[in-house]
Amino acid sequence: MAEISDIAKKFCFEGEYVSAAPFGSGHINDTFALVFEKNGDKIRYILQKMNKKVFPDTRILMHNVALVTEFLAEKIREKGGDCDRETLKLVRTRDGRSYYTAPDGGCWRAFLFVENTVAYQTVENPEMFEDTGRAFGTFISRLADFDASQLGEVIKNFHDTRDRYRKFEEALNADKVGRAAGVGKEISFVESRKEYCDRVVGMLERGEIPLRVTHNDTKLNNILIDADTKKAVCVIDLDTIMPGSLLYDFGDAIRFGCSTAAEDEKDLGKVDFDVRLFEAFTKGFLHGIGDSITQKERENLAFGAILMTYECGMRFLTDYLDGDNYFKTAYPEHNLVRCRTQFRLVELMEKRLEEMNLIVRKYAK
Ligand code: ADP
Ligand code: GN1
Ligand code: MG
Protein backbone atom coordinates (compact mmCIF):
# COMPACT_ATOMS: atom_id res chain seq x y z
CA MET A 1 0.00 0.00 0.00
CA ALA A 2 1.17 3.53 -0.75
CA GLU A 3 2.70 5.49 2.15
CA ILE A 4 0.03 7.43 4.06
CA SER A 5 2.31 10.48 4.28
CA ASP A 6 2.53 10.55 0.46
CA ILE A 7 -1.23 10.19 0.07
CA ALA A 8 -1.70 13.00 2.60
CA LYS A 9 0.28 15.39 0.38
CA LYS A 10 -2.49 15.21 -2.22
CA PHE A 11 -5.11 16.78 0.08
CA CYS A 12 -5.67 20.34 1.27
CA PHE A 13 -4.74 19.62 4.88
CA GLU A 14 -3.59 22.51 7.07
CA GLY A 15 -0.21 22.45 8.81
CA GLU A 16 2.67 19.98 8.85
CA TYR A 17 2.11 16.22 8.71
CA VAL A 18 2.96 14.55 12.05
CA SER A 19 1.57 11.01 12.09
CA ALA A 20 -1.12 8.56 10.99
CA ALA A 21 -2.72 5.57 12.70
CA PRO A 22 -5.53 3.12 11.86
CA PHE A 23 -8.78 4.32 13.40
CA GLY A 24 -12.30 3.05 14.21
CA SER A 25 -13.84 -0.37 13.70
CA GLY A 26 -15.82 -0.26 10.47
CA HIS A 27 -16.19 -3.48 8.47
CA ILE A 28 -15.66 -1.93 5.05
CA ASN A 29 -13.16 0.91 4.49
CA ASP A 30 -9.57 1.35 5.77
CA THR A 31 -9.76 4.37 8.07
CA PHE A 32 -6.84 6.41 9.45
CA ALA A 33 -6.61 9.34 11.84
CA LEU A 34 -3.99 11.83 10.67
CA VAL A 35 -2.35 14.39 12.92
CA PHE A 36 -1.07 17.71 11.58
CA GLU A 37 0.51 20.59 13.46
CA LYS A 38 -0.09 24.26 12.80
CA ASN A 39 1.32 27.06 15.01
CA GLY A 40 1.73 24.60 17.85
CA ASP A 41 -1.86 23.31 17.57
CA LYS A 42 -2.75 19.75 16.61
CA ILE A 43 -5.31 19.29 13.83
CA ARG A 44 -6.71 15.84 13.08
CA TYR A 45 -8.24 14.54 9.87
CA ILE A 46 -9.85 11.29 8.78
CA LEU A 47 -8.30 9.66 5.72
CA GLN A 48 -10.02 6.63 4.19
CA LYS A 49 -9.06 4.15 1.56
CA MET A 50 -12.37 3.17 0.04
CA ASN A 51 -13.19 -0.49 -0.42
CA LYS A 52 -13.06 -1.18 -4.17
CA LYS A 53 -14.62 -4.63 -3.91
CA VAL A 54 -17.69 -3.28 -2.13
CA PHE A 55 -17.84 0.01 -4.07
CA PRO A 56 -16.38 -0.66 -7.53
CA ASP A 57 -17.56 2.72 -8.89
CA THR A 58 -15.76 5.31 -6.76
CA ARG A 59 -16.97 8.11 -9.02
CA ILE A 60 -20.64 7.41 -8.26
CA LEU A 61 -19.90 6.79 -4.58
CA MET A 62 -18.15 10.13 -4.16
CA HIS A 63 -20.67 11.96 -6.32
CA ASN A 64 -23.33 10.86 -3.80
CA VAL A 65 -21.22 11.69 -0.73
CA ALA A 66 -20.30 15.16 -2.03
CA LEU A 67 -23.90 16.01 -2.97
CA VAL A 68 -25.41 14.80 0.29
CA THR A 69 -22.81 16.43 2.55
CA GLU A 70 -23.25 19.77 0.78
CA PHE A 71 -27.04 19.50 0.96
CA LEU A 72 -26.93 18.68 4.68
CA ALA A 73 -24.44 21.47 5.40
CA GLU A 74 -26.84 23.96 3.82
CA LYS A 75 -29.76 22.69 5.94
CA ILE A 76 -27.66 22.90 9.10
CA ARG A 77 -26.47 26.42 8.20
CA GLU A 78 -30.08 27.55 7.67
CA LYS A 79 -30.88 26.42 11.21
CA GLY A 80 -27.85 28.23 12.59
CA GLY A 81 -25.98 24.98 13.34
CA ASP A 82 -22.28 24.16 12.99
CA CYS A 83 -21.93 22.60 9.54
CA ASP A 84 -18.31 21.49 10.13
CA ARG A 85 -19.43 19.35 13.04
CA GLU A 86 -23.02 18.29 12.47
CA THR A 87 -22.30 16.66 9.11
CA LEU A 88 -19.23 15.18 7.46
CA LYS A 89 -17.14 17.77 5.64
CA LEU A 90 -14.98 16.57 2.77
CA VAL A 91 -11.42 17.85 2.50
CA ARG A 92 -10.76 18.18 -1.24
CA THR A 93 -7.60 17.17 -3.05
CA ARG A 94 -5.14 19.89 -4.11
CA ASP A 95 -6.66 19.74 -7.59
CA GLY A 96 -10.16 20.25 -6.22
CA ARG A 97 -11.48 16.70 -6.46
CA SER A 98 -13.52 14.79 -3.89
CA TYR A 99 -11.05 11.85 -3.89
CA TYR A 100 -7.56 10.89 -5.00
CA THR A 101 -6.66 7.86 -7.11
CA ALA A 102 -3.17 6.58 -6.28
CA PRO A 103 -0.88 5.05 -8.93
CA ASP A 104 -1.72 1.57 -7.55
CA GLY A 105 -5.44 2.23 -8.23
CA GLY A 106 -6.38 2.75 -4.55
CA CYS A 107 -8.97 5.49 -4.01
CA TRP A 108 -8.68 7.82 -1.01
CA ARG A 109 -10.86 10.53 0.54
CA ALA A 110 -10.57 12.78 3.57
CA PHE A 111 -12.90 14.43 6.09
CA LEU A 112 -12.55 16.92 8.90
CA PHE A 113 -12.16 15.01 12.15
CA VAL A 114 -15.18 15.63 14.38
CA GLU A 115 -13.38 16.16 17.69
CA ASN A 116 -14.54 15.33 21.19
CA THR A 117 -16.90 12.64 19.94
CA VAL A 118 -17.07 8.86 20.28
CA ALA A 119 -18.42 6.20 17.89
CA TYR A 120 -19.83 3.85 20.53
CA GLN A 121 -19.94 0.08 20.05
CA THR A 122 -22.65 -0.39 22.67
CA VAL A 123 -25.30 1.91 24.12
CA GLU A 124 -24.40 3.30 27.54
CA ASN A 125 -27.86 4.33 28.68
CA PRO A 126 -31.39 4.86 27.31
CA GLU A 127 -31.04 8.68 27.17
CA MET A 128 -28.09 8.37 24.83
CA PHE A 129 -29.98 5.98 22.56
CA GLU A 130 -33.07 8.17 22.56
CA ASP A 131 -30.94 11.01 21.26
CA THR A 132 -29.41 8.69 18.65
CA GLY A 133 -32.95 7.89 17.51
CA ARG A 134 -33.78 11.58 17.31
CA ALA A 135 -30.64 12.20 15.23
CA PHE A 136 -31.37 9.40 12.74
CA GLY A 137 -35.01 10.52 12.47
CA THR A 138 -33.90 14.10 11.89
CA PHE A 139 -31.39 12.90 9.29
CA ILE A 140 -34.17 11.31 7.22
CA SER A 141 -36.44 14.32 7.59
CA ARG A 142 -33.62 16.68 6.53
CA LEU A 143 -33.25 14.66 3.33
CA ALA A 144 -37.00 14.67 2.60
CA ASP A 145 -36.67 17.29 -0.14
CA PHE A 146 -33.42 15.97 -1.56
CA ASP A 147 -33.87 15.00 -5.22
CA ALA A 148 -33.33 11.23 -5.12
CA SER A 149 -32.88 11.02 -8.89
CA GLN A 150 -29.46 12.71 -8.44
CA LEU A 151 -28.16 9.72 -6.47
CA GLY A 152 -26.43 6.80 -8.14
CA GLU A 153 -27.15 3.27 -6.86
CA VAL A 154 -23.78 2.51 -5.26
CA ILE A 155 -24.66 -1.04 -4.29
CA LYS A 156 -27.44 -2.57 -6.34
CA ASN A 157 -30.35 -4.05 -4.35
CA PHE A 158 -28.63 -3.22 -1.04
CA HIS A 159 -31.64 -3.93 1.19
CA ASP A 160 -33.65 -5.88 -1.36
CA THR A 161 -34.25 -8.88 0.88
CA ARG A 162 -35.52 -11.03 -2.01
CA ASP A 163 -32.22 -10.47 -3.77
CA ARG A 164 -30.30 -11.09 -0.55
CA TYR A 165 -32.10 -14.44 -0.29
CA ARG A 166 -31.18 -15.31 -3.87
CA LYS A 167 -27.53 -14.51 -3.12
CA PHE A 168 -27.69 -16.67 -0.01
CA GLU A 169 -29.03 -19.58 -2.13
CA GLU A 170 -26.31 -19.05 -4.73
CA ALA A 171 -23.58 -19.16 -2.10
CA LEU A 172 -25.17 -22.23 -0.53
CA ASN A 173 -25.42 -24.09 -3.84
CA ALA A 174 -21.87 -23.16 -4.84
CA ASP A 175 -20.51 -24.06 -1.37
CA LYS A 176 -17.16 -22.75 -2.60
CA VAL A 177 -15.17 -23.48 0.52
CA GLY A 178 -17.07 -26.53 1.79
CA ARG A 179 -18.60 -24.83 4.82
CA ALA A 180 -22.31 -25.62 4.20
CA ALA A 181 -22.25 -29.00 5.95
CA GLY A 182 -21.25 -27.34 9.24
CA VAL A 183 -24.02 -24.74 9.31
CA GLY A 184 -27.21 -26.73 8.81
CA LYS A 185 -28.97 -25.01 11.71
CA GLU A 186 -28.25 -21.53 10.40
CA ILE A 187 -29.31 -22.51 6.87
CA SER A 188 -32.66 -23.83 8.20
CA PHE A 189 -33.10 -20.62 10.18
CA VAL A 190 -32.88 -18.56 7.00
CA GLU A 191 -35.09 -20.93 4.99
CA SER A 192 -37.83 -21.13 7.62
CA ARG A 193 -38.30 -17.35 7.47
CA LYS A 194 -38.14 -16.87 3.71
CA GLU A 195 -41.51 -15.12 3.64
CA TYR A 196 -40.02 -12.18 5.58
CA CYS A 197 -38.06 -11.32 2.45
CA ASP A 198 -41.15 -10.24 0.48
CA ARG A 199 -42.80 -7.99 3.02
CA VAL A 200 -41.06 -4.62 2.85
CA VAL A 201 -40.00 -4.83 -0.81
CA GLY A 202 -43.61 -5.81 -1.57
CA MET A 203 -44.99 -2.78 0.30
CA LEU A 204 -42.57 -0.51 -1.58
CA GLU A 205 -43.50 -2.04 -4.93
CA ARG A 206 -47.21 -1.64 -4.29
CA GLY A 207 -46.68 1.94 -3.18
CA GLU A 208 -48.04 1.20 0.30
CA ILE A 209 -45.00 2.83 1.89
CA PRO A 210 -42.93 5.64 0.35
CA LEU A 211 -39.47 5.32 -1.14
CA ARG A 212 -37.32 7.90 0.67
CA VAL A 213 -33.67 8.91 0.68
CA THR A 214 -32.26 6.84 3.52
CA HIS A 215 -28.89 6.17 5.14
CA ASN A 216 -29.15 2.37 5.01
CA ASP A 217 -26.37 1.65 7.53
CA THR A 218 -27.52 3.17 10.81
CA LYS A 219 -25.58 1.16 13.33
CA LEU A 220 -24.44 2.95 16.46
CA ASN A 221 -20.81 3.34 15.37
CA ASN A 222 -21.99 5.28 12.34
CA ILE A 223 -23.05 8.21 14.49
CA LEU A 224 -20.62 10.37 16.46
CA ILE A 225 -21.72 11.17 19.99
CA ASP A 226 -20.42 14.09 22.03
CA ALA A 227 -18.02 12.72 24.66
CA ASP A 228 -19.29 15.14 27.36
CA THR A 229 -22.99 15.67 26.71
CA LYS A 230 -23.64 12.21 25.12
CA LYS A 231 -25.78 13.96 22.53
CA ALA A 232 -25.62 12.64 18.96
CA VAL A 233 -23.63 15.12 16.91
CA CYS A 234 -22.97 13.79 13.42
CA VAL A 235 -24.27 10.95 11.26
CA ILE A 236 -21.31 9.45 9.38
CA ASP A 237 -20.60 6.63 6.89
CA LEU A 238 -22.70 8.11 4.11
CA ASP A 239 -21.57 5.52 1.55
CA THR A 240 -24.88 3.75 1.26
CA ILE A 241 -27.19 6.74 1.00
CA MET A 242 -29.71 5.66 -1.59
CA PRO A 243 -33.45 5.51 -2.10
CA GLY A 244 -34.84 3.10 0.49
CA SER A 245 -37.36 2.67 3.27
CA LEU A 246 -37.34 4.37 6.63
CA LEU A 247 -37.91 0.87 8.06
CA TYR A 248 -34.35 0.00 7.03
CA ASP A 249 -32.84 2.86 9.03
CA PHE A 250 -35.01 2.31 12.06
CA GLY A 251 -34.49 -1.47 11.91
CA ASP A 252 -30.73 -1.45 11.50
CA ALA A 253 -30.23 0.92 14.42
CA ILE A 254 -32.34 -1.35 16.65
CA ARG A 255 -30.51 -4.46 15.42
CA PHE A 256 -27.19 -3.15 16.67
CA GLY A 257 -28.11 -0.83 19.53
CA CYS A 258 -30.63 -2.99 21.43
CA SER A 259 -28.33 -5.99 21.72
CA THR A 260 -26.79 -6.45 25.14
CA ALA A 261 -23.68 -7.91 23.49
CA ALA A 262 -21.30 -7.13 20.65
CA GLU A 263 -22.21 -8.12 17.11
CA ASP A 264 -19.46 -10.73 17.29
CA GLU A 265 -20.05 -12.06 20.81
CA LYS A 266 -19.24 -15.78 20.89
CA ASP A 267 -21.25 -16.53 24.03
CA LEU A 268 -24.88 -16.41 22.91
CA GLY A 269 -25.92 -16.46 26.57
CA LYS A 270 -24.84 -12.83 26.70
CA VAL A 271 -27.00 -11.78 23.75
CA ASP A 272 -30.30 -10.33 24.86
CA PHE A 273 -32.71 -7.81 23.35
CA ASP A 274 -33.05 -4.75 25.59
CA VAL A 275 -36.62 -3.59 25.22
CA ARG A 276 -35.96 -0.45 27.32
CA LEU A 277 -33.48 0.63 24.68
CA PHE A 278 -36.04 -0.16 21.98
CA GLU A 279 -38.46 2.19 23.73
CA ALA A 280 -35.85 4.94 24.07
CA PHE A 281 -34.82 4.81 20.41
CA THR A 282 -38.43 4.63 19.19
CA LYS A 283 -39.36 7.70 21.22
CA GLY A 284 -36.40 9.69 19.85
CA PHE A 285 -36.81 8.49 16.27
CA LEU A 286 -40.53 9.32 16.09
CA HIS A 287 -39.77 12.73 17.56
CA GLY A 288 -36.98 13.35 15.01
CA ILE A 289 -38.93 12.21 11.98
CA GLY A 290 -41.95 14.32 12.90
CA ASP A 291 -45.20 14.25 10.93
CA SER A 292 -43.89 12.76 7.73
CA ILE A 293 -44.01 9.12 8.86
CA THR A 294 -47.06 7.29 7.50
CA GLN A 295 -49.42 5.03 9.42
CA LYS A 296 -48.26 2.00 7.42
CA GLU A 297 -44.61 2.74 8.18
CA ARG A 298 -45.40 3.08 11.88
CA GLU A 299 -47.25 -0.24 11.89
CA ASN A 300 -44.18 -1.94 10.43
CA LEU A 301 -41.36 -0.32 12.42
CA ALA A 302 -41.00 -3.22 14.85
CA PHE A 303 -41.07 -5.75 12.03
CA GLY A 304 -38.42 -3.62 10.27
CA ALA A 305 -36.10 -4.35 13.19
CA ILE A 306 -36.65 -8.09 12.83
CA LEU A 307 -36.18 -7.92 9.07
CA MET A 308 -32.93 -5.95 9.18
CA THR A 309 -31.51 -8.29 11.82
CA TYR A 310 -32.53 -11.35 9.78
CA GLU A 311 -31.06 -9.75 6.63
CA CYS A 312 -27.78 -8.93 8.36
CA GLY A 313 -27.47 -12.48 9.76
CA MET A 314 -28.20 -13.85 6.30
CA ARG A 315 -25.50 -11.58 4.80
CA PHE A 316 -22.91 -12.76 7.35
CA LEU A 317 -23.88 -16.38 6.61
CA THR A 318 -23.69 -15.79 2.85
CA ASP A 319 -20.21 -14.29 3.23
CA TYR A 320 -19.16 -17.22 5.44
CA LEU A 321 -20.34 -19.69 2.77
CA ASP A 322 -18.60 -17.63 0.12
CA GLY A 323 -15.21 -17.74 1.91
CA ASP A 324 -15.26 -14.29 3.63
CA ASN A 325 -14.96 -11.97 0.67
CA TYR A 326 -17.08 -9.02 1.78
CA PHE A 327 -16.86 -8.13 5.48
CA LYS A 328 -13.52 -7.65 7.20
CA THR A 329 -12.87 -10.69 9.40
CA ALA A 330 -10.29 -11.26 12.12
CA TYR A 331 -10.51 -15.10 12.21
CA PRO A 332 -12.09 -17.84 10.04
CA GLU A 333 -15.36 -18.23 12.01
CA HIS A 334 -15.91 -14.49 12.44
CA ASN A 335 -18.81 -14.18 9.99
CA LEU A 336 -20.49 -17.27 11.45
CA VAL A 337 -20.19 -15.90 14.98
CA ARG A 338 -21.77 -12.65 13.79
CA CYS A 339 -24.53 -14.54 12.00
CA ARG A 340 -25.40 -16.43 15.18
CA THR A 341 -25.79 -13.29 17.31
CA GLN A 342 -28.13 -11.86 14.67
CA PHE A 343 -30.30 -14.96 14.56
CA ARG A 344 -30.50 -15.06 18.34
CA LEU A 345 -31.70 -11.45 18.30
CA VAL A 346 -34.29 -12.29 15.63
CA GLU A 347 -35.74 -15.02 17.87
CA LEU A 348 -35.84 -12.70 20.86
CA MET A 349 -37.55 -9.94 18.87
CA GLU A 350 -40.07 -12.36 17.38
CA LYS A 351 -41.15 -13.25 20.92
CA ARG A 352 -41.52 -9.59 21.85
CA LEU A 353 -43.08 -8.27 18.66
CA GLU A 354 -46.44 -7.42 20.24
CA GLU A 355 -44.75 -5.53 23.05
CA MET A 356 -42.61 -3.64 20.55
CA ASN A 357 -45.69 -2.71 18.51
CA LEU A 358 -47.38 -1.38 21.65
CA ILE A 359 -44.35 0.81 22.36
CA VAL A 360 -44.48 2.26 18.84
CA ARG A 361 -48.19 3.06 19.34
CA LYS A 362 -47.43 4.71 22.67
CA TYR A 363 -45.17 7.28 21.00
CA ALA A 364 -47.23 7.76 17.83
CA LYS A 365 -48.84 11.19 17.73
P1 ADP B 1 -16.72 1.90 7.46
O1 ADP B 1 -17.51 2.03 6.21
O2 ADP B 1 -15.54 1.02 7.33
O3 ADP B 1 -17.60 1.54 8.60
P2 ADP B 1 -16.75 4.62 8.53
O4 ADP B 1 -16.91 5.73 7.55
O5 ADP B 1 -17.94 4.25 9.32
O6 ADP B 1 -16.12 3.37 7.76
O7 ADP B 1 -15.56 5.04 9.52
C1 ADP B 1 -15.02 4.12 10.45
C2 ADP B 1 -14.89 4.76 11.82
O8 ADP B 1 -14.04 5.91 11.74
C3 ADP B 1 -16.19 5.28 12.43
O9 ADP B 1 -16.91 4.25 13.08
C4 ADP B 1 -15.67 6.35 13.39
O10 ADP B 1 -15.16 5.76 14.57
C5 ADP B 1 -14.48 6.94 12.64
N1 ADP B 1 -14.80 8.15 11.86
C6 ADP B 1 -15.21 8.22 10.57
N2 ADP B 1 -15.35 9.50 10.17
C7 ADP B 1 -15.03 10.29 11.22
C8 ADP B 1 -14.93 11.71 11.43
N3 ADP B 1 -15.21 12.58 10.45
N4 ADP B 1 -14.54 12.17 12.66
C9 ADP B 1 -14.23 11.30 13.65
N5 ADP B 1 -14.29 9.94 13.52
C10 ADP B 1 -14.67 9.43 12.32
C1 GN1 C 1 -21.12 -2.80 7.33
O1 GN1 C 1 -19.45 -0.13 6.96
P1 GN1 C 1 -19.99 -0.56 8.28
O2 GN1 C 1 -19.04 -1.36 9.10
O3 GN1 C 1 -20.56 0.63 9.00
C2 GN1 C 1 -22.12 -2.93 6.19
C3 GN1 C 1 -23.54 -2.83 6.74
C4 GN1 C 1 -23.78 -3.93 7.78
C5 GN1 C 1 -22.73 -3.78 8.88
C6 GN1 C 1 -22.83 -4.89 9.88
C7 GN1 C 1 -21.55 -1.07 2.97
O4 GN1 C 1 -21.25 -1.52 7.92
O5 GN1 C 1 -24.48 -3.00 5.67
O6 GN1 C 1 -25.07 -3.82 8.33
O7 GN1 C 1 -21.39 -3.79 8.32
N1 GN1 C 1 -21.88 -1.89 5.20
C8 GN1 C 1 -21.86 -2.18 3.89
O8 GN1 C 1 -22.09 -4.54 11.01
O9 GN1 C 1 -22.10 -3.31 3.44
MG1 MG D 1 -19.13 2.51 9.48
Side-chain angles (χ1 to χ4, degrees):
M1 193 162 76
E3 281 296 321
I4 300 283
S5 55
D6 289 334
I7 302 288
K9 289 187 190 123
K10 307 293 176 187
F11 289 86
C12 295
F13 294 133
E14 287 188 50
E16 292 298 313
Y17 175 86
V18 178
S19 62
F23 194 76
S25 51
H27 293 341
I28 304 293
N29 298 303
D30 294 332
T31 304
F32 302 87
L34 268 49
V35 180
F36 281 70
E37 198 172 298
K38 190 184 175 191
N39 306 328
D41 290 331
K42 296 247 183 297
I43 308 174
R44 289 202 288 177
Y45 295 98
I46 287 285
L47 182 69
Q48 281 183 322
K49 184 176 187 199
M50 291 167 270
N51 185 325
K52 270 267 172 177
K53 227 188 303 174
V54 172
F55 304 111
D57 195 334
T58 314
R59 208 184 48 81
I60 293 186
L61 171 70
M62 290 310 293
H63 163 85
N64 287 359
V65 170
L67 273 183
V68 170
T69 49
E70 279 154 26
F71 181 90
L72 288 171
E74 193 48 46
K75 290 259 159 177
I76 292 162
R77 221 174 280 127
E78 278 167 16
K79 292 258 176 217
D82 179 351
C83 55
D84 286 351
R85 194 168 160 77
E86 292 169 39
T87 184
L88 284 175
K89 171 99 180 266
L90 274 172
V91 178
R92 299 233 159 212
T93 62
R94 297 210 174 269
D95 53 4
R97 293 172 203 272
S98 59
Y99 66 98
Y100 165 67
T101 308
D104 66 359
C107 291
W108 297 79
R109 66 175 173 208
F111 296 108
L112 294 185
F113 195 104
V114 184
E115 292 290 352
N116 201 38
T117 59
V118 180
Y120 283 90
Q121 303 302 326
T122 48
V123 174
E124 285 202 334
N125 57 55
E127 292 72 33
M128 169 180 152
F129 204 39
E130 180 182 332
D131 201 58
T132 302
R134 177 204 53 75
F136 278 131
T138 306
F139 184 84
I140 298 177
S141 68
R142 274 187 186 146
L143 289 170
D145 55 347
F146 183 89
D147 175 9
S149 69
Q150 292 184 289
L151 291 176
E153 199 176 11
V154 268
I155 302 180
K156 258 195 127 13
N157 301 328
F158 191 57
H159 286 311
D160 179 333
T161 30
R162 277 188 208 138
D163 192 59
R164 290 286 177 197
Y165 195 91
R166 266 193 298 276
K167 287 181 176 135
F168 155 72
E169 285 184 316
E170 269 170 35
L172 177 58
N173 293 334
D175 195 17
K176 257 175 32 190
V177 285
R179 284 172 164 176
V183 290
K185 245 174 88 179
E186 288 73 21
I187 292 167
S188 306
F189 190 97
V190 174
E191 290 174 343
S192 64
R193 288 157 175 85
K194 185 177 178 189
E195 66 88 20
Y196 283 172
C197 297
D198 277 329
R199 292 215 207 157
V200 174
V201 277
M203 285 188 275
L204 284 167
E205 271 171 7
R206 294 187 296 273
E208 291 167 14
I209 55 171
L211 195 64
R212 301 170 181 271
V213 176
T214 48
H215 182 283
N216 296 307
D217 189 3
T218 50
K219 63 178 172 179
L220 187 67
N221 62 22
N222 285 332
I223 191 158
L224 300 176
I225 295 181
D226 190 288
D228 302 321
T229 64
K230 309 285 173 187
K231 294 275 180 208
V233 176
C234 179
V235 173
I236 60 167
D237 203 343
L238 306 177
D239 295 337
T240 51
I241 288 201
M242 280 177 287
S245 165
L246 154 170
L247 302 178
Y248 302 152
D249 283 2
F250 178 86
D252 199 49
I254 296 297
R255 168 188 82 75
F256 192 88
C258 291
S259 174
T260 54
E263 197 181 56
D264 57 358
E265 173 57 59
K266 290 181 183 152
D267 178 359
L268 288 184
K270 292 188 180 153
V271 181
D272 201 359
F273 179 74
D274 189 333
V275 84
R276 274 179 335 138
L277 294 181
F278 177 83
E279 174 153 3
F281 188 90
T282 302
K283 184 177 175 196
F285 185 85
L286 289 174
H287 179 72
I289 194 96
D291 295 333
S292 73
I293 188 167
T294 67
Q295 173 69 14
K296 189 83 177 173
E297 285 174 320
R298 256 198 310 263
E299 282 168 13
N300 284 283
L301 279 178
F303 172 70
I306 294 180
L307 183 70
M308 293 308 291
T309 312
Y310 168 76
E311 181 200 272
C312 195
M314 176 161 63
R315 289 175 64 196
F316 288 140
L317 184 59
T318 304
D319 199 31
Y320 180 72
L321 291 169
D322 194 44
D324 307 322
N325 284 308
Y326 187 92
F327 297 104
K328 286 186 185 173
T329 49
Y331 54 93
E333 310 286 299
H334 207 163
N335 270 317
L336 179 59
V337 166
R338 289 173 178 147
C339 157
R340 288 181 173 149
T341 60
Q342 301 309 291
F343 290 169
R344 168 57 58 91
L345 287 166
V346 168
E347 284 172 340
L348 292 162
M349 285 191 252
E350 286 170 341
K351 289 200 183 96
R352 305 189 82 155
L353 182 59
E354 253 327 290
E355 195 182 341
M356 290 158 73
N357 278 325
L358 281 175
I359 290 170
V360 172
R361 266 177 245 144
K362 178 170 158 192
Y363 292 101
K365 278 196 199 146

